[in-house]
């Protein structure tokens, strides 16, 4: 499956007992669909996937696929220390009808290229689902070069697209140049959205539509239509918000934003902490500037 456009990332709502609140998850997914996202990616960093139990992870994955019900493709994020656990989650994602898996190697020991390659190859052998290679060294401790990721796309059957999140625009230029524009890649760095889309990214992976509706989709549309002045205007309108949610932590920022909009989705799971009072006030200000508060 080829996907492109805005891939929306839901947070994981928790109730007062810190259990997953599926009624609120439905509201989060509806919010993303109303924002006209082109796909939904469950269980990414915004969804606090690293802080969930196996049962919680599986329940969220299956609920998301079932509730979205084919309205847009569903991507399931997988970032595991062991290949064995990644295989279990990949095969589970396939069994529940997910459309794509977003796979990032997670590291305690520093992994070499052979180990990373074998990790992706093993997952590809275990499921027919398309794999998005996800490079996010800030959270996973593994940094894959454009050349290495393209090698995997060229040689591993189901590795078909890349999500690049280092914040280095030259990585995207390199992916585009070395692949002659033929390998689809996504921007995973919110405050680089305009540069990335202009560099040939086929889409933008972001939790921003949770709070600011279809404004990211408007930016994408302006770039695709060649309206550079409109794209620049839209991007700089969103810039303070995009920078804020990254610097303050996606889960905490988006959950605080939902609360400001009247939807209590709980606090992030410890050791993550909710935004401070001053951070909440700043978020309220940037949301007001984007007409994202009533």
């Amino acid at each position: 499956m080829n996907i492109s456009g805005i891939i929306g990332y839901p947070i994981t709502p928790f109730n007062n007992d810190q259990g997953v609140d599926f009624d609120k998850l439905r509201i989060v997914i509806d919010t993303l669909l109303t924002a006209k996202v082109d796909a939904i990616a469950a269980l990414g960093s915004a969804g606090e996937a690293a802080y969930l139990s196996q049962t919680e992870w599986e329940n969220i994955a299956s609920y998301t696929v079932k509730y979205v019900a084919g309205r847009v493709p569903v991507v399931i994020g997988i970032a595991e220390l062991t290949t064995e656990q990644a295989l279990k989650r990949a095969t589970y994602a396939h069994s529940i009808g997910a459309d794509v898996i977003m796979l990032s190697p997670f590291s305690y020991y520093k992994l070499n290229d052979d180990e990373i390659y074998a990790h992706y190859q093993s997952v590809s052998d275990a499921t027919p689902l398309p794999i998005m290679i996800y490079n996010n060294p800030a959270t996973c401790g593994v940094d894959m070069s454009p050349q290495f990721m393209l090698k995997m796309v060229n040689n591993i059957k189901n590795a078909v697209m890349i999500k690049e999140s280092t914040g280095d625009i030259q990585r995207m230029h390199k992916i585009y140049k070395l692949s002659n524009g033929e390998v689809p890649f996504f921007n995973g760095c919110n405050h680089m959205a305009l540069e990335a889309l202009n560099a040939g990214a086929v889409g933008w992976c972001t939790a921003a539509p949770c709070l600011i509706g279809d404004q990211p989709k408007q930016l994408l549309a302006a770039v695709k239509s060649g309206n550079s002045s409109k794209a620049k205007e839209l991007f700089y309108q969103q810039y303070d918000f995009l920078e804020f949610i990254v610097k303050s932590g996606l889960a905490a920022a988006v959950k605080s934003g939902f609360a400001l909009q009247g939807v209590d989705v709980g606090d992030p799971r410890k050791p993550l902490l909710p935004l401070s009072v001053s951070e909440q006030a700043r978020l309220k200000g940037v949301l007001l500037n984007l007409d994202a508060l009533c």
Side-chain angles (χ1 to χ4, degrees):
M1 169 178 287
N2 292 322
I3 60 174
S4 61
I6 302 297
I7 302 182
Y9 283 64
I11 49 86
T12 297
F14 296 125
N15 56 34
N16 291 336
D17 296 323
Q18 279 288 291
V20 178
D21 189 330
F22 288 96
D23 289 336
K24 295 289 177 61
L25 180 57
R26 182 177 68 251
I27 293 172
V28 172
I29 294 172
D30 283 339
T31 299
L32 290 171
L33 292 172
T34 300
K36 303 176 184 178
V37 299
D38 299 289
I40 286 177
L43 299 161
S45 54
E48 300 177 70
Y51 305 105
L52 301 172
S53 71
Q54 178 75 16
T55 299
E56 288 173 329
W57 189 95
E58 291 181 355
N59 287 342
I60 290 169
S62 60
Y63 181 90
T64 302
V65 171
K66 184 177 181 180
Y67 185 70
V68 172
R71 286 175 284 179
V72 295
V74 173
V75 182
I76 299 295
I78 299 173
E80 299 299 321
L81 273 173
T82 68
T83 299
E84 179 185 13
Q85 185 64 14
L87 293 176
K88 288 179 180 178
R89 294 198 164 179
T91 54
Y92 183 79
H94 180 234
S95 74
I96 61 174
D99 299 290
V100 177
I101 53 176
M102 180 179 66
L103 179 62
S104 47
F106 202 84
S107 158
Y108 177 82
Y109 287 108
K110 183 176 176 61
L111 303 177
N112 62 42
D113 284 357
D114 289 342
E115 290 166 332
I116 298 168
Y117 188 99
H119 183 73
Y120 277 89
Q121 183 69 68
S122 296
V123 174
S124 178
D125 291 342
T127 170
L129 287 178
I131 296 171
M132 177 187 291
I133 299 170
Y134 183 16
N135 189 42
N136 188 12
T139 58
C140 293
V142 176
D143 190 2
M144 297 177 283
S145 70
Q147 293 87 340
F148 178 68
M149 290 189 287
L150 290 171
K151 175 184 175 182
M152 290 198 290
V153 170
N154 290 331
N155 293 283
I156 297 177
K157 180 180 179 182
N158 295 314
V160 295
M161 62 191 96
I162 294 169
K163 178 183 173 184
E164 169 54 45
S165 297
T166 60
D168 180 0
I169 192 64
Q170 297 306 319
R171 304 283 190 105
M172 298 188 189
H173 289 313
K174 187 70 72 174
I175 292 169
Y176 187 89
K177 181 71 174 178
L178 292 175
S179 70
N180 295 314
E182 295 179 0
V183 173
F185 64 93
F186 292 80
N187 171 54
C189 189
N190 278 301
H191 55 277
M192 280 182 50
L194 181 60
E195 292 174 280
L197 294 170
N198 283 327
V202 300
W204 174 15
C205 301
T206 179
C210 287
L211 300 180
I212 63 171
D214 69 348
Q215 294 186 55
K217 189 69 177 280
Q218 293 177 37
L219 170 56
L220 174 67
V223 173
K224 290 177 69 175
S225 68
N227 191 340
S228 58
S229 60
K230 182 64 174 178
K232 186 176 181 180
E233 176 188 354
L234 289 167
F235 174 68
Y236 283 112
Q237 285 174 0
Q238 299 172 42
Y239 183 82
D240 287 345
F241 168 76
L242 297 174
E243 184 181 47
F244 178 86
I245 62 174
V246 172
K247 287 188 174 181
S248 59
L250 284 173
V254 175
K255 287 186 168 185
S256 181
F258 268 116
L260 289 168
Q261 293 174 341
V263 181
D264 182 6
V265 292
D267 290 335
R269 185 167 280 179
K270 293 180 179 179
L272 301 179
L273 294 174
L275 297 189
S276 67
V277 173
S278 62
E279 288 172 324
Q280 291 178 46
R282 186 178 171 204
L283 177 59
K284 182 177 181 179
V286 295
L287 289 175
L288 283 169
N289 287 336
L290 290 169
D291 294 324
L293 290 179
C294 297

